[in-house]
Amino acid sequence: MIQEVQRFKPFSAKPIALLSEAGEWRGPFDLDLTEEKLLTMYRDLVRARLLDERLGKLQRMGKTSFVAPAAGHEGAHIGVAHALRPGFDWLFPYYRDMGMVLALGVPPKELFAQSLATRADPNKGRQMPAHPGSAALNVFTAASPIASHLGPAVGAAISMKLRGTGQVAVASFGDGATSEGDFHAAVNFAGVQGAPIVLVCENNRYAISVDFHKQTASENIAVKAHAYGMPGYVVDGMDTLACYYVMQEVVERARSGHGPALVEMVVYRYGAHSSADDDARYRPREEVQRWRQRDPLRRFKAFLERRGLLDDAKEAALRESAEAELAAALKEAEAAGPVPTDWLFDDVYAERPAFLEEQRAQLEGVTRG
Ligand SMILES: Cc1ncc(C[n+]2csc(CCOP(=O)(O)OP(=O)(O)O)c2C)c(N)n1
């Protein structure tokens, strides 16, 4: 039975951590990842951080209208992405998960194109920036209404179970989303149906300016799982390996027919809620600084250095190559040119009705002048 090989106990008093803040391995089992896998995880942490920085710059340059900063969430993002089978399992991310979809394999060119609305955007420029999706990689397009993707995620997982596909769905969301009715309906349904889904809460302590303690009277989010008949895990979300190993266990548990789990990853966003928010109005700078000390990149780097897998020169080379990859992707995304206005009419009907044809013709006249 899978329960007998469980590494992690649900409902632990403290968040599950495997790395100390100085990067020492503290796991109660032997690390069983190859050097290559560890370095790939670190590379993905760096790519996610650099992507976030680039998107922030594009917003300040006026090239995109909206970003949802993700720095501080990367440990959770990379832990989740690496526990999935890309293109087989399904991911239902939310708007702060750019690093997660990048690590899953969505090309950075597509992510930039989505944010800038250029022809290289597979969503044809019809989503808000920071709302990626990928048909090729089974990534459900991120939605703006919080928690609205959780019902569809559970529905998809139930379908996977009924069809016996062996796939797993993962849906991620913030702590604020757990106050929505959609969250409770979805978790309840997942529990009742034994759906192969992992619900991942990236608890960054704030829903815009609303502090976690105003969000729920529960001691944490993970305990809510108990009421829905599934295990709940609270994990140190700044510890990439803890996020990865817990995810790997519950994903495989779901894959082998043992049902859903709720995983709370305790993270922190260093930046504002979005490019439209002033976080200085609701949280002290010292709090942000304190959390920065726990940074997932810094911790993983220290861990790799202790094992002799990374040094300053290798780190510099890795950053340089990630920078170059993103710069080239951005250039290609921009070179594709803006999305044509009449793409607005595509993909809605198999055969476009006359009234839409008429509107399209009118628009053509307007844009031609
Ligand atoms: C149904 C709904 N209500 C309100 C909003 C406005 N809104 C956008 S983001 C947000 C906070 C979300 O917080 P959380 O779920 O913790 O995620 P975070 O942004 O902190 O990562 C709110 C209330 C929304 N998008 N959808």
Side-chain angles (χ1 to χ4, degrees):
M1 277 292 281
I2 191 131
Q3 272 81 0
E4 286 163 18
V5 296
Q6 258 179 229
R7 281 171 163 157
F8 304 104
K9 288 223 177 333
F11 307 115
S12 57
K14 282 204 302 189
I16 296 165
L18 297 175
L19 292 184
S20 74
E21 289 186 18
E24 294 146 321
W25 173 256
R26 290 276 168 82
F29 55 89
D30 289 339
L31 185 74
D32 55 6
L33 297 174
T34 62
E35 292 181 359
E36 196 192 342
K37 175 83 171 168
L38 292 170
L39 285 169
T40 306
M41 283 174 142
Y42 185 65
R43 190 201 60 170
D44 283 346
L45 286 168
V46 170
R47 290 166 82 224
R49 176 67 52 90
L50 294 178
L51 173 68
D52 191 59
E53 288 173 6
R54 283 247 166 196
L55 288 167
K57 283 181 197 151
L58 290 173
Q59 194 273 332
R60 285 191 294 278
M61 290 160 79
K63 292 191 174 188
T64 183
S65 55
F66 176 85
V67 291
H73 282 242
E74 295 93 342
H77 289 175
I78 277 50
V80 170
H82 278 263
L84 289 175
R85 289 195 204 160
F88 180 67
D89 295 323
W90 273 77
L91 180 65
F92 293 72
Y94 81 115
Y95 49 78
R96 209 175 295 286
D97 287 332
M98 299 292 268
M100 190 185 288
V101 295
L102 178 71
L104 193 76
V106 178
K109 174 181 164 186
E110 287 185 13
L111 297 176
F112 284 125
Q114 198 279 316
S115 275
L116 302 174
T118 76
R119 279 176 181 269
D121 172 19
N123 291 334
K124 300 194 176 177
R126 291 184 295 208
Q127 273 284 351
M128 246 181 92
H131 286 53
S134 168
L137 282 158
N138 293 352
V139 179
F140 191 75
T141 302
S144 280
I146 56 176
S148 65
H149 58 309
L150 302 183
V154 172
I158 292 169
S159 139
M160 293 166 197
K161 180 180 172 180
L162 294 176
R163 289 179 296 126
T165 63
Q167 292 162 296
V168 172
V170 166
S172 49
F173 48 91
D175 41 301
T178 68
S179 295
E180 294 288 340
D182 279 356
F183 166 79
H184 297 277
V187 190
N188 184 56
F189 204 33
V192 170
Q193 296 287 329
I197 185 165
V198 181
L199 296 137
V200 179
C201 177
E202 295 171 43
N203 180 357
N204 65 18
R205 301 189 46 82
Y206 292 95
I208 313 186
S209 58
V210 177
D211 186 80
F212 181 65
H213 297 294
K214 292 188 181 149
Q215 202 72 237
T216 179
S218 302
E219 59 181 291
N220 58 40
I221 299 297
V223 293
K224 295 178 193 288
H226 189 74
Y228 294 113
M230 65 182 77
Y233 300 85
V234 53
V235 184
D236 181 342
M238 313 295 266
D239 177 347
T240 311
L241 287 179
C243 295
Y244 167 74
Y245 272 108
V246 171
M247 280 306 292
Q248 197 224 14
E249 180 166 305
V250 292
V251 164
E252 290 315 316
R253 181 179 178 278
R255 203 184 298 291
S256 55
H258 291 81
L262 174 65
V263 178
E264 173 184 2
M265 298 181 173
V266 183
V267 297
Y268 196 80
R269 67 165 154 80
Y270 307 147
H273 167 79
S274 77
S275 41
D277 171 44
D278 175 8
D279 63 312
R281 298 179 63 168
Y282 57 85
R283 62 180 186 180
R285 292 302 83 188
E286 304 78 61
E287 182 182 293
V288 183
Q289 282 314 322
R290 227 176 20 254
W291 278 87
R292 275 188 182 277
Q293 302 307 313
R294 313 190 58 237
D295 189 60
L297 274 74
R298 189 200 284 202
R299 200 183 300 186
F300 209 94
K301 180 171 178 254
F303 162 75
L304 292 176
E305 283 170 347
R306 281 175 184 275
R307 300 178 81 86
L309 296 176
L310 195 68
D311 54 30
D312 285 346
K314 278 191 191 156
E315 155 95 4
L318 191 146
R319 276 186 181 263
E320 203 176 305
S321 110
E323 289 274 16
E325 179 202 9
L326 293 184
L330 175 58
K331 208 168 158 188
E332 281 181 46
E334 286 197 278
V339 164
T341 314
D342 70 352
W343 279 12
L344 192 69
F345 296 92
D346 290 354
D347 307 320
V348 181
Y349 294 96
E351 280 172 47
R352 198 173 296 132
F355 78 93
L356 276 186
E357 276 302 357
E358 202 179 309
Q359 286 182 15
R360 196 176 124 111
Q362 274 173 359
L363 183 76
E364 221 168 49
V366 173
T367 48
R368 274 213 203 104

